[in-house]
Amino acid sequence: MPKVRVIAEAGSNHLNDYKTAKELIKTAKSVGCSAVKFQWLDEGTPESQHNAGIYMPMDWPERLLEYGGIVGIPVFFSCFGPKEVIDWKMLRLAELGCKMMKFAFPQRHNIGQVERALLLFNEVVISTSPMDKWELPENDRLSTLYCHSIHGEPVYPVIEELDFTGLFQYPGSPQSRAFGFTGFSSHCLNQEQPIRAIKQGATVVEVHMKLEDTPLSIPDSRFSLLPAQVELVARHHG
């Protein structure tokens, strides 16, 4: 079975506290994750307001990338804001040596930016759905993650049991990559569904992770897993 990579999505669970952000990176490494992702939200923007006012100070990306290098785990980001802001953030991250980039589900139609990101980063990850996936460019550096949605809107949290049968394709499989997703972006309440996705062939799984003391008032915390649960996913090999 191909190697499975688990991305710890820190989301807004850092609570605007740099020490907590560092602890999320350190914890992701300790439980066996392959990378940790943060959301680059700007103060006072609609995206920040929808996340309990959580945002990322401008000096954090460079510091978090540096700390990830010290700990030994890749750190990367999803960028939010107007088109020109996202373009600037992508260029800034590339200048800082960031190797990966993530596009959130609402950004899956930004094909021009996805193509631009493929020129800047070693890997681009995007959350998408079956109908929308066909619009995306085929590229070996593009990882497409199935995101459960209803009527074009992602579900937070996912409660029902998902059917992953035939959804994923192993790298190098006889079928064209266009016929399957690379992996699964989970908004589920426990580790069981991401593990089932791995059993069905997902080779990249993104799971939201929180620390023990993350308040439930933070939106991402409602569907985030605790480190011990993330470890069960990261250590799973089918």
Side-chain angles (χ1 to χ4, degrees), residues 114-135:
V114 172
E115 292 175 336
R116 194 171 302 114
L118 287 166
L119 298 175
L120 294 171
F121 302 97
N122 292 347
E123 181 179 6
V124 176
V125 183
I126 185 166
S127 293
T128 187
S129 65
M131 292 303 295
D132 299 314
K133 183 179 182 297
W134 318 128
E135 303 175 10

Side-chain angles (χ1 to χ4, degrees), residues 102-216:
K102 168 72 188 292
F103 286 92
F105 187 82
Q107 301 169 332
R108 66 197 185 281
H109 297 300
N110 300 358
I111 306 302
Q113 284 188 319
V114 172
E115 292 175 336
R116 194 171 302 114
L118 287 166
L119 298 175
L120 294 171
F121 302 97
N122 292 347
E123 181 179 6
V124 176
V125 183
I126 185 166
S127 293
T128 187
S129 65
M131 292 303 295
D132 299 314
K133 183 179 182 297
W134 318 128
E135 303 175 10
L136 296 170
E138 286 194 56
N139 191 298
D140 289 339
R141 290 182 288 111
L142 180 63
S143 295
T144 53
L145 305 187
Y146 170 72
C147 180
H148 182 56
S149 62
I150 297 177
H151 304 305
E153 294 296 330
V155 179
Y156 306 108
V158 174
I159 299 175
E160 65 268 36
E161 184 170 299
L162 301 178
D163 182 6
F164 300 114
T165 305
L167 196 63
F168 310 111
Q169 297 295 335
Y170 295 156
S173 65
Q175 296 98 327
S176 166
R177 191 166 180 173
F179 291 101
F181 291 84
T182 311
F184 175 48
S185 179
S186 175
H187 301 136
C188 302
L189 294 174
N190 58 49
Q191 72 277 5
E192 298 302 326
Q193 300 225 63
I195 288 175
R196 285 199 304 105
I198 293 171
K199 289 181 177 179
Q200 289 294 328
T203 55
V204 180
V205 175
E206 178 188 56
V207 292
H208 288 252
M209 186 181 76
K210 63 182 176 183
L211 302 177
E212 292 278 0
D213 57 354
T214 304
L216 290 176

